[in-house]
Amino acid sequence: MWEKRKVWVITAFLADEDEDGEDMGWSEPLVEYYADTYEEALEKQEQLLSGMDEFYGNLVEHCTISDEPEEREFLKRTE
């Protein structure tokens, strides 16, 4: 089942090349993360820009936070 929630969207723009100049060949050059509060969004943005993302490390060139929460659909968790 799906549920709609308003969340802050953090968009991370990924580097085209790795540290050795090799083309990364991304199918999408960006990735989105979601946060329930603006403070959480700022923390995620700081983590991404510091190279501490568990998947992309220091391959994030820059990132943005949405101007206001956006409505998105998420798979509802079942307990």
Side-chain angles (χ1 to χ4, degrees):
M1 173 166 271
W2 295 89
E3 66 178 341
K4 290 185 180 184
R5 290 188 358 230
K6 285 200 171 209
V7 293
W8 294 91
V9 180
I10 306 99
T11 305
F13 296 87
L14 305 174
D16 293 330
E17 299 176 342
D18 67 11
E19 296 163 347
D20 299 324
E22 297 291 322
D23 183 9
M24 295 303 295
W26 304 116
S27 58
E28 285 289 324
L30 56 88
V31 62
E32 289 186 342
Y33 296 88
Y34 309 103
D36 291 318
T37 67
Y38 187 71
E39 291 76 20
E40 289 175 3
L42 286 172
E43 287 176 19
K44 184 63 178 178
Q45 181 184 46
E46 184 178 321
Q47 176 189 15
L48 289 164
L49 293 175
S50 69
M52 301 298 289
D53 183 66
E54 64 182 290
F55 298 110
Y56 298 105
N58 62 356
L59 295 173
V60 175
E61 289 191 329
H62 68 280
C63 57
T64 60
I65 299 174
S66 57
D67 291 333
E68 58 186 40
E70 298 178 10
E71 189 171 274
R72 298 291 172 104
E73 270 192 346
F74 296 92
L75 190 58
K76 190 173 185 174
R77 294 181 190 175
T78 57
E79 298 188 29

